[in-house]
Amino acid sequence: MQAEEIDLWISLLWKWVRLNWAMSVSLIVPLKVRNEARLGQVATMAKRLSLEHMTLQYKFPKYRYDKMDWLREQGADR
């Protein structure tokens, strides 16, 4: 992104797909899952989203990950 000067931003997303053997949920949200407790929170969030008890915009209002966020993280890794 830095070398090509790509101005990219990523917004929140959730996608629910019915497979012939299971249900699948893809989430793009600003969470770090580092333990079982956090994983449980993600599962609860996915359930609430699928039941339409909440929206990602409600949970993470105005969230947007952009080029500047990415560049900041790259600097922190060095």
Side-chain angles (χ1 to χ4, degrees):
M1 282 180 34
Q2 187 173 14
E4 299 293 324
E5 296 187 20
I6 297 171
D7 192 15
L8 175 72
W9 62 273
I10 299 169
S11 62
L12 303 166
L13 173 79
W14 83 277
K15 184 178 176 183
W16 183 36
V17 179
R18 182 181 300 270
L19 306 172
N20 60 359
W21 56 276
M23 297 303 295
S24 173
V25 176
S26 297
L27 285 171
I28 298 176
V29 294
L31 293 175
K32 293 183 181 182
V33 180
R34 295 184 175 164
N35 56 47
E36 288 181 33
R38 180 58 73 130
L39 183 58
Q41 292 172 353
V42 172
T44 299
M45 182 187 325
K47 181 178 179 180
R48 293 187 69 206
L49 287 165
S50 67
L51 295 172
E52 298 181 351
H53 291 172
M54 68 171 273
T55 65
L56 290 178
Q57 289 71 28
Y58 172 78
K59 183 76 175 167
F60 306 100
K62 299 180 182 178
Y63 178 77
R64 183 174 139 158
Y65 184 89
D66 61 16
K67 178 180 177 181
M68 295 310 296
D69 295 315
W70 185 82
L71 290 172
R72 255 191 310 278
E73 286 182 0
Q74 299 312 303
D77 290 342
R78 293 178 183 166

